[in-house]
Amino acid sequence: MFQPVAITRRYAPPLTRVFPTFAVALGDKRRPTAFTFVELCFGLIITALVMAALATFSLAMSTAWQNAGSSQAILLAANQDVRLLDAKIRPCGLTGGWQAGSLDGTAQQPAAVLLWIADTNNSATVNYSEIMLIEHDPQSQQIKMYKAPVPLTVPDVVYSYENVFSQASFIDTFKDGLTPTVLCSNVVGAQFYVGSAISATARPFVEFALTIKSGNQTQVVYGDATLRAPLAVPTN
C-alpha cells in the first residue's frame, strides 16, 4: 500500500523560484542590480571619447574635401586663363614695349605688353587702330585688354616702331581714355617676359606667369605664346 512521504524543506523548491514576486516582498538579494554610479561615469567617458574621435575624423574629411575643391577650382581657372592669353597673343603680328611686373602684384609697374595685332591697311607701319595692350591690374586683380574703339573716334595715328611702339613708356599713353575688357579675374600677381623679333627666323614670343587665387589658396601657373606669323619690323 502506498505510503505518503512527507515533503521536507530539502525537497521543496524555494517559493521565490516558483513565485518570483515573493523575492521582492522578501527582499531577495539575488535579483539583478543596475549599473553603479562609477560604472555609469566610465561609460559616459568612453562614449565621449568615441564621439570626439568621430567628430575629429569628420572634420578632417570635410577639410580635405574643401581643400581638394579649392585646388581643383584654381587648376580650372588657371588653365582657362592660360588658354585665353595664348589665344589673344598668338595671332598677333609683333610685340612692342612691355613691363615685367611681379608675381605678388607689388611691382611699381605692373605686367603689361603692347602688341601689333595686324597690318590691316598694308601700310607696313603701326597704326593706332592696330594696337592691343594686355595689362595686369593689381588693384582689381584682373588681366585687362585695351584696344581702340570701333568705329574710331580719333585720327588713326601712325606711330614709330623704334621710338614709340617698342617703348614701355607708350603703355600709359596708349590706354589713356580707353575702356578695358576684362580677360582674367582673381589674378593676384602677373609677370611677363617678351622676346622681340631679332631676325627673320626668330619669332617673337610672350612668356607669362600668373598667381591665381581661389578662396584662401593661391597657385602660380605658367604659359607662353609664340606669334604664328610675325610681321616684319617697321622701318619707321
Side-chain angles (χ1 to χ4, degrees), residues 28 38 55 67 212 226:
D28 190 355
V38 175
N67 291 337
I212 309 298
T226 302

Side-chain angles (χ1 to χ4, degrees), residues 191-229:
Q191 196 167 29
F192 291 169
Y193 177 78
V194 177
S196 301
I198 56 176
S199 69
T201 58
R203 295 182 179 181
F205 64 87
V206 178
E207 294 179 345
F208 49 88
L210 309 176
T211 303
I212 309 298
K213 182 179 181 180
S214 177
N216 295 326
Q217 296 186 356
T218 58
Q219 182 172 339
V220 179
V221 293
Y222 301 89
D224 65 90
T226 302
L227 307 189
R228 291 195 188 101

Side-chain angles (χ1 to χ4, degrees), residues 169-181:
S169 57
F170 182 58
I171 291 175
D172 290 334
T173 302
F174 173 74
K175 71 177 184 179
D176 185 31
L178 295 179
T179 301
T181 299

Side-chain angles (χ1 to χ4, degrees), residues 30 39 46 76 101 113 131 137 144 152 155 161 165 168 179 186 191 211 222 227-228 233:
R30 293 174 296 174
E39 290 172 335
I46 294 174
L76 291 174
V113 57
I131 299 174
D137 184 353
K144 297 180 177 180
L152 279 177
Y161 175 85
F165 181 71
T179 301
N186 300 320
Q191 196 167 29
T211 303
Y222 301 89
L227 307 189
R228 291 195 188 101
V233 176

Side-chain angles (χ1 to χ4, degrees), residues 106-123:
T106 60
Q108 185 175 1
Q109 295 180 324
V113 57
L114 288 163
L115 296 158
W116 185 16
I117 302 173
D119 188 8
T120 55
N121 57 5
N122 296 319
S123 63

Side-chain angles (χ1 to χ4, degrees), residues 2-36:
F2 177 76
Q3 297 293 329
V5 179
I7 300 176
T8 63
R9 184 173 180 82
R10 179 181 179 183
Y11 298 102
L15 292 177
T16 56
R17 185 179 301 174
V18 179
F19 303 102
T21 55
F22 279 20
V24 177
L26 298 175
D28 190 355
K29 302 299 182 181
R30 293 174 296 174
R31 70 183 188 275
T33 59
F35 290 109
T36 65

